[in-house]
Amino acid sequence: MSENSEYENVFSGVLGENYQTIKLICPLAAKMSRLVGEAVKEYAQTHQQALNVVELGGGTGITTLSILLAADNLKVSSIDNAATMQQQAKVSLKKWVEQQRVDFIEADALVALKSMPDNSADIIASAYTLHNFLHEYREELVSEIYRVLKSGGKFINGDRHGLDDISEHTAMLQQEIASYFKVLKAENKIDLLEHWIVHLFADESENRVMRESIALNQLKQAGFSNVTLSQRIEVNALMSATKP
Ligand SMILES: C[S@@+](CC[C@H](N)C(=O)[O-])C[C@H]1O[C@@H](n2cnc3c(N)ncnc32)[C@H](O)[C@@H]1O
C-alpha cells in the first residue's frame, strides 16, 4: 500500500464521513492539514523532548489527527469556540484522549491564549482558522502566539493566504467558485453551495482577507524569524515562523 493511501485509510477510518465531506468540498484543506502535520513532524524529529502543541481552531479534528500522527513525543491542546465541531473531534479522537495525548479547550482562541503562560508551547499550529479573523483580532493573536511560544518554538499555519497579485488571486477565486458549483451541483448539495459562497465573501472582505505579504510582515513585526511561506496551492499556503 502506498504511503498516500495508507494515510487516507487512517484518516477515513478515524474521521469517517467528516473527512470524506471536507475532501469533497475542499480537497485542498485536507491537503493543507496534512502539510501542517508534516511540518510538525519535521520539528519533532529535531526536538526529541516532550513537546507541547497548541492548536488554534481544531474543528472536527482533521488537522489535530495529522499533528497527533506526526510524532509520539507530543501532546496537543486543541482550542475551538464551536462546541458542535469540537464534539465531533472528541468522538473521533477518543483513543488519543484516553492516552492523554490531546485535550480540548472550548474557548475563543485569543481568550485561551491570553490565559496561557509565557514561553509555554513548543509549537502553535493551525489550519484554516486565522483567515476567518478580522485584521485587528489577528494582529493581537499573533503577538499572543509569540508570547506563548518558547524560544526556538514554531508557529505553523496552513491556511488561505491571498496572493499579492490581485488579478492572479481573482482568477484563482473564480476557479475555486467554479469547482464548488461543479462538485456540489453534481452532489445536489445546493444548501452547502450557498453556504460556501456566502462564507467566501467574508473570507475575501477587505477587513479580513489574509494577504501573503501582509501576513509575512505581521509575523516579522511581532519578532519572529525564519518567516516563510511554502507549499502554495492556489490561494492556500503553509506559513511557518520561529521565535528566536
Ligand atoms: C474552517 S474550520 C478549520 C478546522 C480545522 N482546523 C481543520 O483543518 O479542519 C475553522 C475552525 O475555527 C474555529 N474558530 C473560528 N473562530 C474561532 C475563534 N475565535 N476561536 C476559536 N476557534 C474559532 C471554528 O469553530 C472552526 O472549527
Side-chain angles (χ1 to χ4, degrees), residues 54-206:
V54 175
E55 184 191 19
L56 307 175
T60 56
I62 294 173
T63 309
T64 325
L65 178 60
S66 192
I67 297 169
L68 285 165
L69 295 176
D72 293 332
N73 59 326
L74 59 83
K75 284 188 175 175
V76 183
S77 292
S78 180
I79 304 166
D80 203 290
N81 64 355
T84 45
M85 302 278 279
Q86 205 170 53
Q87 189 49 37
Q88 293 176 58
K90 282 180 186 168
V91 172
S92 306
L93 304 179
K94 191 166 173 274
K95 175 176 143 193
W96 289 268
V97 174
E98 285 167 2
Q99 292 170 359
Q100 299 184 336
R101 291 206 47 216
V102 59
D103 61 69
F104 293 94
I105 303 170
E106 187 195 325
D108 173 78
L110 187 54
V111 171
L113 275 182
K114 280 186 171 171
S115 73
M116 293 181 180
D118 294 359
N119 309 314
S120 55
D122 297 282
I123 296 175
I124 298 186
S126 190
Y128 288 95
T129 298
L130 269 71
H131 78 270
N132 289 297
F133 300 149
L134 293 167
H135 291 306
E136 309 81 72
Y137 179 103
R138 201 183 297 136
E139 181 99 37
E140 212 182 330
L141 190 82
V142 165
S143 51
E144 281 302 307
I145 290 170
Y146 187 85
R147 182 188 64 76
V148 171
L149 276 173
K150 294 177 187 170
S151 171
K154 197 156 189 177
F155 173 53
I156 300 164
N157 185 28
D159 212 330
R160 292 179 75 88
H161 286 102
L163 285 97
D164 291 329
D165 181 329
I166 309 281
S167 304
E168 209 187 328
H169 183 79
T170 305
M172 286 187 179
L173 274 183
Q174 287 166 331
Q175 269 179 38
E176 188 181 358
I177 292 169
S179 83
Y180 288 155
F181 271 83
K182 191 168 166 224
V183 172
L184 296 175
K185 259 171 60 186
E187 293 282 321
N188 200 24
K189 292 189 187 292
I190 304 304
D191 289 354
L192 200 52
L193 178 59
E194 180 185 339
H195 168 85
W196 273 107
I197 301 297
V198 169
H199 184 80
L200 209 54
F201 270 82
D203 287 351
E204 294 298 321
S205 67
E206 216 38 60

Side-chain angles (χ1 to χ4, degrees), residues 46-60:
T46 52
H47 297 77
Q48 266 128 32
Q49 72 275 24
L51 299 175
N52 177 19
V53 181
V54 175
E55 184 191 19
L56 307 175
T60 56

Side-chain angles (χ1 to χ4, degrees), residues 220-234:
K220 288 177 193 157
Q221 292 287 321
F224 282 100
S225 59
N226 302 327
V227 179
T228 54
L229 184 126
S230 60
Q231 311 270 7
R232 176 169 284 290
I233 316 168
E234 299 173 10

